[in-house]
């Protein structure tokens, strides 16, 4: 049985229920795309999953990205493993990063196409560059499950496809809130459609096409 299971889960804003009750599990090898129009509950479901499962090795890439603008690209990516080092090592890295960390992160930044910005403060980057930094951070962090909210929305076609491939290959399972149906179908193994906080579709991606999903929008 999967370690990542929701059973009759609900989310509320005040006294109002905005999601669920719903039950679902994420098995090893599954890459799940959450689709549905704005307000359907995709981000709320990701937040609920993270709240329930964060004691396990879960990486989160929120839509707001969570970057520290005054820190360099390198340091923002390094933050993905802060909890694995002693406090003094993390403090020392702020002033003089260790060569092993620099080399590992530099190679990862090259993979996502932003290697030349390694020492640039994140506040000086474009939206697409910031998204690639956040993606590099979760790839550096690693774990058993990736939760990501619109992880490639600021990128164009080839860049979006490349980064989607790296994210789904970098984790044994993932749940990704997506707005691009072609990318969702191309890189995810399972499609979960939401409407008004309820699951109205849950099917293997190879049984679906973009046209069959349009009524969710």
């Amino acid at each position: 049985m999967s370690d990542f299971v929701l059973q009759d889960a609900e989310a509320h804003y005040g006294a109002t229920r905005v999601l669920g009750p719903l039950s679902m599990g994420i098995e090893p090898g599954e890459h799940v795309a959450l689709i549905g129009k704005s307000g359907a509950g995709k981000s709320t479901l990701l937040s609920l999953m993270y709240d329930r499962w964060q004691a396990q090795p879960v990486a989160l890439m929120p839509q707001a990205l969570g970057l520290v603008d005054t820190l360099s690209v390198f340091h923002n990516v390094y933050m993905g493993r802060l909890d694995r080092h002693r406090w003094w090592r993390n403090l020392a890295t702020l002033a003089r990063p260790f060569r092993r960390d620099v080399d590992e992160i530099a190679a990862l930044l090259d993979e996502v196409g932003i290697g030349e910005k390694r020492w640039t403060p994140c506040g000086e980057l474009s939206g697409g560059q910031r998204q690639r930094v956040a993606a590099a951070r979760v790839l550096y962090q690693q774990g058993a499950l990736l939760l990501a909210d619109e992880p490639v929305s600021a990128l164009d076609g080839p860049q979006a496809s490349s980064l989607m491939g790296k994210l789904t290959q970098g984790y044994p399972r993932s749940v990704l809130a997506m707005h691009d149906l072609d990318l969702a179908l191309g890189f995810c193994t399972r499609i979960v459609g939401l409407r008004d906080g309820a699951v109205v579709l849950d099917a293997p991606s190879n049984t679906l096409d973009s046209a069959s999903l349009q009524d969710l929008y």
Side-chain angles (χ1 to χ4, degrees):
M1 179 178 292
S2 171
D3 294 329
F4 298 99
V5 176
L6 297 177
Q7 188 67 42
D8 297 324
E10 299 181 0
H12 297 79
Y13 287 154
T16 304
R17 186 174 67 197
V18 295
L19 183 76
L22 59 82
S23 300
M24 63 184 300
I26 314 300
E27 299 294 336
E30 282 195 319
H31 298 284
V32 181
L34 303 179
I35 67 169
K37 64 183 181 180
S38 179
K42 302 187 298 296
S43 297
T44 301
L45 179 53
L46 284 177
S47 295
L48 188 150
M49 288 175 168
Y50 186 67
D51 288 344
R52 296 288 181 89
W53 299 337
Q54 63 179 304
Q56 303 182 65
V58 174
L60 175 67
M61 183 178 169
Q63 195 167 6
L65 302 180
L67 302 178
V68 180
D69 286 347
T70 55
L71 292 181
S72 70
V73 167
F74 167 85
H75 286 99
N76 272 274
V77 175
Y78 178 84
M79 287 170 63
R81 295 187 188 173
L82 278 180
D83 60 346
R84 303 185 195 180
H85 303 301
R86 294 182 180 274
W87 67 268
W88 59 264
R89 190 181 191 282
N90 291 332
L91 186 60
T93 298
L94 277 173
R96 189 180 180 88
F98 293 88
R99 173 53 57 184
R100 181 178 63 182
D101 297 329
V102 172
D103 290 345
E104 186 176 3
I105 290 174
L108 188 54
L109 292 173
D110 285 341
E111 283 189 31
V112 300
I114 199 171
E116 76 283 0
K117 299 291 187 179
R118 186 191 321 169
W119 303 115
T120 302
C122 278
E124 298 179 12
L125 302 181
S126 68
Q129 290 170 335
R130 290 170 63 84
Q131 202 162 56
R132 280 181 279 170
V133 174
R137 184 178 57 196
V138 294
L139 290 171
Y140 182 65
Q141 179 178 349
Q142 302 180 344
L145 173 70
L146 171 64
L147 303 174
D149 197 346
E150 302 288 0
V152 297
S153 59
L155 302 175
D156 63 18
Q159 289 180 333
S161 293
S162 175
L163 193 56
M164 277 292 292
K166 295 182 189 307
L167 291 172
T168 52
Q169 293 165 16
Y171 279 81
R173 48 189 152 189
S174 62
V175 183
L176 314 173
M178 300 289 298
H179 75 281
D180 188 311
L181 296 180
D182 291 332
L183 287 176
L185 291 166
F187 289 95
C188 296
T189 61
R190 177 179 167 195
I191 305 295
V192 172
L194 297 175
R195 180 185 292 128
D196 298 328
V199 174
V200 295
L201 172 72
D202 189 343
S205 58
N206 60 11
T207 66
L208 303 166
D209 58 29
S210 295
S212 66
L213 300 175
Q214 289 300 325
D215 63 349
L216 287 168
Y217 291 90

